[in-house]
Amino acid sequence: LMLTIESAMTVDDVTGREITDFLLDCRDDRYQAWWPGTHLEFHVLKPGSGGDHVGDVVLMDEYVGSRRVRMAGKVLEAVPGERIVWQLRLGQLPLPVRLTLALSTSDQAVRLRHTITAGWPGRGRWLDPLWRLYFSRSFAGAMDRHVRTEFPLMRNLLRQMWEAPKDDSAGIGSAV
């Protein structure tokens, strides 16, 4: 019984490519500027070998509601403008948990679907109900509110970055 937590929404004035580029080129300073106090860390721990971000192992650290969520994820798929799939890990151990961001862009808006799936294949399926202890109903509600807040905030940050003077010497967030 695979567990799925899904949020879908449309965000105006941004493209799927802008979102995937931002997320695949993850840096703590930009992540923190995206949602100060909620987004803590997001950076590459170990780059993949292909140059297309597939295989990158990243650290994500954020608050979802009142719960701090700190995890490593390996990029399994990276299709610019369309899709990123991370497989979550506990240290070096891959977990049967995936975070998928699917995007489609039209008329200066992007339709996005943010999905967390958790579940073991085959004989491990009997353990799947344990995922409901971590991914509870209250967590699912907090995640939905999180997603619906963070992507409009990303659009706003991207707009600030583009409208800022191109002198990068002061770093991000200096053009207020």
Side-chain angles (χ1 to χ4, degrees), residues 119-141:
W120 279 279
R123 286 190 265 173
R125 282 189 310 229
W126 69 275
L127 292 168
D128 286 351
L130 295 175
W131 289 115
R132 295 190 188 286
L133 298 175
Y134 186 82
F135 297 114
S136 64
R137 273 203 185 118
S138 65
F139 179 81

Side-chain angles (χ1 to χ4, degrees), residues 63-159:
Y63 284 98
V64 175
S66 61
R67 183 189 294 182
R68 186 162 180 184
V69 179
R70 182 179 171 91
M71 69 207 122
K74 183 175 187 175
V75 177
L76 298 183
E77 290 179 48
V79 181
E82 295 178 20
R83 183 176 172 89
I84 305 173
V85 179
W86 293 271
Q87 180 175 22
L88 303 188
R89 302 166 75 89
L90 188 61
Q92 294 299 310
L93 178 69
L95 296 173
V97 180
R98 292 185 182 198
L99 169 58
T100 301
L101 187 63
L103 307 141
S104 61
T105 303
S106 62
D107 298 332
Q108 289 306 305
V110 67
R111 180 87 181 136
L112 67 86
R113 195 170 64 251
H114 178 283
T115 309
I116 298 170
T117 54
W120 279 279
R123 286 190 265 173
R125 282 189 310 229
W126 69 275
L127 292 168
D128 286 351
L130 295 175
W131 289 115
R132 295 190 188 286
L133 298 175
Y134 186 82
F135 297 114
S136 64
R137 273 203 185 118
S138 65
F139 179 81
M143 179 56 76
D144 187 59
R145 289 187 296 276
H146 185 93
V147 169
R148 290 176 185 285
T149 303
E150 74 181 342
F151 285 98
L153 287 174
M154 179 194 284
R155 177 214 36 227
N156 298 346
L157 176 62
L158 290 170
R159 291 291 161 260

